[in-house]
Amino acid sequence: MSDHDLSPGRVEWVTLLLILLCYGAWLVALFWLPLGIGALAAGVLIALHGSLTHEVLHGHPFRSRVANELMMALPLNLSIPFNRFRDLHLAHHRDSNLTDPYDDPESNYLDPTVWNTLPRWQQLACRMNNTLLGRIVIGPVIGQAIFMRDEVQGALRGDRAIWLAWGLHLMGAIVVLLIVAASPMPIWAYLISAYLGLGLLRIRTFLEHRAHEQVRSRTVIIEDRGILAFLFLNNNLHVVHHMNPKAPWYRLPALYRDGRERFLTINDGYVYRSYGEVFRRYLWRAKDPVAHPLWPND
């Protein structure tokens, strides 16, 4: 089935409704829930908003790119400009570069030569980041630090796309903080919520891709249908998404069900039965080395 066959109609009402519900529930969490519950709920909703942002950059719920991106004008996580996430994630979808330490913007692997030059404390932090618990707890700090380093370098080189993205982001972030300031939730509590949301999203990205000689075998399937699958809008079926990037989130389970054997053949059986299995196997233990195991070590 082609991407054309899977393209959305004029408006994807399911996705549009979920975006509106997400924003509405976020306001409820800020203004009407007790602080502890509200901060926890806001963190979960910030993670859901991140998943919806991923949907939007792939062309949902409208055909109009401008209309789609206006839906994400409020950066609830305060950390990542939409335009930068869009550009870097679409670059990530060049599957031939998946896990490449240089050309895949979402790779968690390092060039072995670079790895060998890192001071011991950085190596320790990277090893901790390669466990699931570490990815949730310290992953947002490490990821943001690397992202900001690259953004600053690009901005200093005169990349106008970076300057524009951050200008728009800062305006949206100010609006978010003004809303929070008008609510009973303290700013410090909201910052904890934002960090929680980023940590939750790290569960999804933890093992989406592996180092493998075959490009088609690098992308995972997690056969989960629970709350995390919904929170991640079915991107646990990640090879289905990479093969059908225009398919909306709510079609992915049917696509997987109809083509399960084909998908598992394509990705060489890179599959987990649930997120429970992922937690049991990798909460305390690294799944992968930090240095890319197939990269030349000069």
Side-chain angles (χ1 to χ4, degrees), residues 26 30-31 78 171-183 187:
W26 177 73
L30 293 182
F31 284 90
L78 301 174
M171 289 189 289
I174 288 170
V175 173
V176 170
L177 291 173
L178 287 174
I179 294 172
V180 175
S183 78
I187 296 291

Side-chain angles (χ1 to χ4, degrees), residues 21-88:
L21 286 173
C22 181
Y23 282 124
W26 177 73
L27 290 173
V28 169
L30 293 182
F31 284 90
W32 288 287
L33 293 181
L35 178 58
I37 297 173
L40 179 61
V44 174
L45 290 163
I46 289 166
L48 177 60
H49 185 266
S51 297
L52 287 164
T53 301
H54 172 262
E55 283 295 300
V56 165
L57 68 84
H58 279 292
H60 314 284
F62 303 110
R63 290 184 177 179
S64 166
R65 175 172 169 173
V66 173
N68 284 334
E69 296 187 1
L70 283 173
M71 300 297 294
M72 296 293 113
L74 295 181
L76 301 192
N77 67 32
L78 301 174
S79 301
I80 311 295
F82 174 85
N83 290 20
R84 297 302 295 148
F85 179 38
R86 178 197 65 207
D87 295 347
L88 294 171

Side-chain angles (χ1 to χ4, degrees), residues 225-246:
R225 300 294 294 133
I227 186 63
L228 286 178
F230 172 73
L231 188 65
F232 304 146
L233 297 183
N234 296 319
N235 263 283
N236 50 298
L237 306 174
H238 207 56
V239 74
V240 184
H241 167 63
H242 267 258
M243 293 180 65
N244 304 277
K246 294 183 181 178

